[in-house]
Amino acid sequence: MTDSASRRARVRAPELIGKGGWLNTGEKQYTLADLRGRIVVLDFWTFCCINCLHVLDELRELEEKHRDTVVIIGVHSPKFVHEAEHQAVVDAVERYGVEHPVLDDPELATWKQYAVRAWPTLVVIDPEGYVVAQHAGEGHAHAIERLVEELEAEHEAKGTLRRGDGPYVPPEPEPTTLRFPGKALLLPSGNFLVSDTTRHQLVELAEDAETVVRRIGSGTRGFADGGPQEAAFNEPQGLALLEDGAVVVADTVNHALRRLDPATGAVTTLAGTGKQWWQGSATSGPAREVDLSSPWDVAVFGGRVWIAMAGVHQLWTYDPAAGTVAVTAGTTNEGLVDGPGAEAWFAQPSGLAATAERLWLADSETSALRWVDLDGHVHTAVGTGLFDFGHRDGAAEQALFQHPLGVTALPDGSVAVADTYNHALRRYDPATGEVTTLATDLREPSDAVLVGGDIVVVESARHRLTRLRLPEEAVRVEPVAHRTRRAATEVAPGRLRLDVVFQAPAGQKLDTRYGPSTRLLVSSTPPELLLKGEGADTDLSRDLELNPEVAEGVLHVSAMAASCDDDSAGEYPACHVHQQDWGVPVRLTEGATDRLPLVLAGMDEQ
């Protein structure tokens, strides 16, 4: 047995339970016993979460390389009410090209059994059915691959490793014209350009919004410039028209901006390296030399292309004249904080629309409609934070959306919001401060474009564009308000010990060459919940003091740790940044626990 194997904690893995059953298995239902002899990686995810989508992409290489020994199982654990709908999970699995079994767990039964506290979380189970590692956040694929190689060697020697085909059974492809389209753009010709996200293409449709004029892109996941047949995209989303008549494309999973010449169909790259931005990467510079992170939408405002950088909760800009990119607003912390751009917090900004004086944005994870003024200050029109959502019209202060992905400026100064998880088109009027509903029974609308007196909506989960007459009177709906389904953690008032658990992966050590390799940032909603312990420091453990006068709230914890290969002979060791943001709902209860452990990587052995 290797040293690392003998050190490894072994905890029997709880059974996999999910009321929604199994997807991608040819309708077969599985238990852990069926998977004995294989290395199982559980990926706790929810389809609204950009970090979860990053992890899906990180795992693709591991999945391919160790296909005969490793079984990855997505455990879908919903945050929003819509994500608990079984058909919505079926759609998401196809939409994001998930090529492994998925357990639909709408009631968070398996999430609770594994004491998961964050999306995404990865849990590794050895061939004998024991949990041997847990990782929160993204960027852990290298550590898991090393652990997988150790487990393969260890269990091959013990005779407990079983090789062979996994349980994945691909679904039958559906013959629709579009497949989970993301965004749309009205071209000067009157035709529509649509990002056909799941098919990795752009599709030009005629004025009827149905007839295909041409397809641009090879149709397979890739990153290549060239003509309309040679160019390759990776889940493209946002589209915007530049002054020179070209189209800028948010090529989301390639972490890039692309340029389409509508006359020739030629595609080139404007910004991004194809690699995902990580803490410590450049935040400005020549556009082709700076990493981006899941750009979801683009809009031209104030002479620059603004980018909804969903992957790092920021707004960036691309300057076409200078050929540069730069962070323009947001700190990378996830939440809802207004103010000067450098101090604002966002949560997966996913939709942009520009007027002469405002840049409107759909901030999806806070279910908010927000805007940036000409001075770069950020304001919130509708929305209160990460955990409140629903479908409620009326005064903006109490109105609710559910994970909106798109926003469209209307001629009268109001805006239409693609209220995605409510399957609705909503309207906010700044003149009255009122929110109304324009249309319902739209399936996951993700964008809309204005065409004369009509509005054409991208019905993403119906795989089509739908033309609506802009109604003079808003549709009336019964108000519904929701809180996240995650149960609050009961903690004692007063002193609370916060421990972020981080164990450097095998063969690595903390990187201290340039000073402290760890960082912990703590805040709360409401702010008065924390009497002591707010702010940033380098220690991953901290004593907090919770205000006994505040019954419940949310602790916002952001942790970062850098580790490098433990190889003194190498001049340039490979280094990795591990980062995760937690929003932990807490309820203050006398006699409850006075310790809150959050696992960044490793196992909590206290």
Side-chain angles (χ1 to χ4, degrees):
M1 186 179 289
T2 65
D3 288 344
S4 55
S6 60
R7 286 199 313 268
R8 204 178 293 129
R10 281 161 62 88
V11 177
R12 177 62 72 181
E15 190 51 84
L16 304 177
I17 307 161
K19 201 170 183 179
W22 290 79
L23 307 176
N24 281 356
T25 61
E27 301 190 359
K28 182 174 178 182
Q29 308 298 299
Y30 281 88
T31 66
L32 274 178
D34 298 325
L35 304 170
R36 197 62 49 81
R38 310 301 289 272
I39 300 162
V40 177
V41 179
L42 302 182
D43 175 17
F44 288 87
W45 70 300
T46 189
F47 63 78
C48 71
C49 156
I50 191 68
N51 311 89
C52 300
L53 303 186
H54 289 168
V55 167
L56 285 176
D57 290 303
E58 286 177 12
L59 292 175
R60 291 185 202 280
E61 190 176 338
L62 176 77
E63 202 164 20
E64 185 58 41
K65 192 171 173 184
H66 298 271
R67 192 168 288 283
D68 67 334
T69 59
V70 172
V71 175
I72 295 174
I73 293 174
V75 182
H76 189 269
S77 315
K79 171 186 173 181
F80 290 98
V81 169
H82 169 59
E83 293 172 317
E85 294 177 20
H86 182 69
Q87 185 57 46
V89 181
V90 173
D91 287 346
V93 167
E94 182 189 350
R95 181 194 295 270
Y96 297 116
V98 179
E99 295 183 353
H100 51 247
V102 172
L103 176 64
D104 180 12
D105 182 18
E107 297 176 348
L108 301 179
T110 297
W111 164 287
K112 291 168 188 168
Q113 287 295 312
Y114 281 81
V116 174
R117 294 186 186 276
W119 296 276
T121 290
L122 297 168
V123 175
V124 182
I125 301 171
D126 74 11
E128 294 178 287
Y130 289 92
V131 174
V132 291
Q134 183 171 328
H135 299 267
E138 50 185 296
H140 299 293
H142 67 283
I144 290 176
E145 175 155 27
R146 182 167 294 201
L147 176 57
V148 162
E149 289 167 352
E150 278 186 16
L151 291 170
E152 285 175 341
E154 177 187 335
H155 288 274
E156 191 96 77
K158 287 174 71 175
T160 49
L161 185 70
R162 180 166 56 89
R163 295 179 181 269
D165 292 336
Y168 170 65
V169 178
E172 286 292 319
E174 297 282 344
T176 52
T177 301
L178 302 172
R179 204 69 193 161
F180 298 103
K183 305 287 185 183
L185 177 69
L186 184 65
L187 295 170
S189 65
N191 288 351
F192 297 91
L193 188 67
V194 183
S195 53
D196 197 18
T197 305
T198 298
R199 293 211 179 113
H200 315 294
Q201 288 181 321
L202 306 180
V203 179
E204 185 176 342
L205 299 177
E207 293 183 32
D208 63 4
E210 293 180 9
T211 305
V212 174
V213 176
R214 60 176 170 169
R215 294 181 181 271
I216 297 156
S218 65
T220 56
R221 199 184 288 273
F223 189 9
D225 289 343
Q229 280 77 47
E230 298 80 38
F233 299 96
N234 197 342
E235 297 183 25
Q237 286 280 351
L239 306 164
L241 205 58
L242 296 174
E243 284 186 6
D244 65 1
V247 175
V248 59
V249 182
D251 193 4
T252 305
V253 181
N254 277 329
H255 311 294
L257 295 188
R258 314 293 291 282
R259 179 186 186 274
L260 167 69
D261 181 341
T264 65
V267 175
T268 53
T269 299
L270 292 175
T273 63
K275 294 179 182 173
Q276 184 184 334
W277 187 95
W278 284 99
Q279 290 289 348
S281 302
T283 54
S284 64
R288 292 291 305 272
E289 298 173 18
V290 177
D291 299 337
L292 308 182
S293 182
S294 297
W296 207 274
D297 203 5
V298 281
V300 177
F301 178 63
R304 292 176 293 171
V305 176
W306 287 64
I307 309 164
M309 204 71 79
V312 281
H313 318 299
Q314 290 180 314
L315 301 179
W316 288 43
T317 51
Y318 166 70
D319 184 334
T324 56
V325 290
V327 174
T328 311
T331 64
T332 75
N333 295 112
E334 184 178 17
L336 193 151
V337 177
D338 289 340
E343 300 171 15
W345 292 23
F346 301 99
Q348 280 178 228
S350 302
L352 299 174
T355 65
E357 300 193 345
R358 292 186 180 186
L359 178 73
W360 292 97
L361 68 113
D363 203 27
S364 62
E365 279 293 289
T366 52
S367 298
L369 173 66
R370 305 176 74 184
W371 54 280
V372 182
D373 63 27
L374 290 170
D375 295 325
H377 280 64
V378 179
H379 310 260
T380 297
V382 182
T384 59
L386 287 163
F387 298 99
D388 292 288
F389 52 89
H391 191 151
R392 188 161 66 197
D393 287 339
E397 301 76 46
Q398 56 83 54
L400 294 171
F401 299 127
Q402 187 181 177
H403 198 79
L405 289 179
V407 60
T408 306
L410 300 179
D412 63 355
S414 68
V415 289
V417 177
D419 192 5
T420 309
Y421 287 4
N422 280 329
H423 308 303
L425 189 68
R426 313 283 293 284
R427 176 176 177 264
Y428 167 70
D429 185 352
T432 63
E434 293 283 312
V435 174
T436 51
T437 297
L438 295 174
T440 57
D441 192 32
L442 299 165
R443 188 73 187 167
E444 290 193 21
S446 54
D447 196 20
V449 291
L450 205 61
V451 185
D454 293 344
I455 192 163
V456 176
V457 181
V458 179
E459 272 199 278
S460 190
R462 281 202 180 107
H463 319 293
R464 69 187 189 192
L465 303 190
T466 299
R467 188 183 297 265
L468 305 171
R469 173 65 64 179
L470 272 175
E472 294 177 18
E473 293 295 324
V475 177
R476 293 204 170 276
V477 297
E478 290 300 315
V480 179
H482 299 295
R483 292 279 289 170
T484 177
R485 289 173 169 242
R486 292 175 60 191
T489 299
E490 295 201 346
V491 295
R495 179 185 173 279
L496 177 69
R497 179 68 171 176
L498 172 65
D499 287 327
V500 173
V501 178
F502 178 75
Q503 295 153 3
Q508 295 205 326
K509 63 181 180 180
L510 285 173
D511 177 19
T512 55
R513 293 172 300 159
Y514 307 110
S517 60
T518 56
R519 181 174 180 270
L520 179 65
L521 175 68
V522 180
S523 62
S524 67
T525 304
E528 52 269 23
L529 172 64
L530 269 180
L531 295 175
K532 191 179 112 184
E534 187 178 11
D537 203 346
T538 57
D539 193 342
L540 289 182
S541 293
R542 190 179 302 179
D543 286 330
L544 311 180
E545 188 175 342
L546 304 184
N547 188 347
E549 302 298 315
V550 178
E552 59 183 358
V554 179
L555 289 175
H556 303 283
V557 180
S558 178
M560 184 272 287
S563 63
C564 291
D565 288 348
D566 188 6
D567 181 2
S568 54
E571 187 178 355
Y572 300 107
C575 298
H576 307 275
V577 176
H578 314 259
Q579 184 178 6
Q580 173 62 19
D581 295 332
W582 291 268
V584 183
V586 294
R587 183 178 300 114
L588 274 57
T589 307
E590 289 290 347
T593 183
D594 62 358
R595 178 176 179 263
L596 178 62
L598 300 174
V599 177
L600 179 60
M603 299 279 284
D604 179 32
E605 295 173 14
Q606 285 198 40

